[in-house]
Amino acid sequence: MEPDLLTEVILTHPRQSLGKVMLDWTPQPGNYLDLEGKTYAVLERRHRYQLKAGRYRLNKIALYVQSAARPAEKSFVEGRWVIGDASCRFNAHSELIRCAVNPEGPCDRCRYYETHM
């Protein structure tokens, strides 16, 4: 991300712009962003490029987010954080969803928990 480039943060539902911010990191889908005292989950990141002097240059970045609470349970798997206990065979290994059988959690009291082989 270019350091002097504003990033527009867009709430997906209801669709509205939350404003433009300067970020010192590159949020990926599944990351959480704190903005004006609220927490949002990043769902999508879009780049817009502009042709200038025969080269494409990054012109705009938009983050599409939804309001969310940071998950209390996280596991570090293959260099990234995922929601829930990754040792369970039903865990989705995703930054956005925990699992199909108990998406709201918590994992430690889930009756469907099975150790992943």
Side-chain angles (χ1 to χ4, degrees), residues 22-38:
M22 296 291 284
L23 297 176
D24 58 356
W25 62 294
T26 306
Q28 301 291 330
N31 289 145
Y32 291 87
L33 175 70
D34 294 320
L35 186 65
E36 297 177 0
K38 294 184 181 178

Side-chain angles (χ1 to χ4, degrees), residues 35-113:
L35 186 65
E36 297 177 0
K38 294 184 181 178
T39 301
Y40 299 96
V42 177
L43 302 177
E44 185 176 350
R45 185 181 74 208
R46 293 186 185 172
H47 296 172
R48 298 282 188 247
Y49 294 88
Q50 182 177 29
L51 183 62
K52 222 178 206 182
R55 297 183 71 184
Y56 283 100
R57 298 186 61 117
L58 185 58
N59 187 43
K60 294 180 185 176
I61 296 176
L63 293 179
Y64 291 83
V65 300
Q66 73 179 16
S67 186
R70 287 185 187 268
E73 298 174 303
K74 295 189 292 186
S75 300
F76 195 69
V77 177
E78 298 177 8
R80 62 189 174 93
W81 288 99
V82 299
I83 298 175
D85 183 351
S87 67
C88 178
R89 81 175 216 150
F90 297 111
N91 186 278
H93 290 237
S94 167
E95 300 93 343
L96 300 174
I97 186 168
R98 179 187 314 272
C99 71
V101 296
N102 188 16
E104 297 300 316
C107 293
D108 63 350
R109 294 187 299 272
C110 180
R111 65 184 176 138
Y112 300 104
Y113 178 85

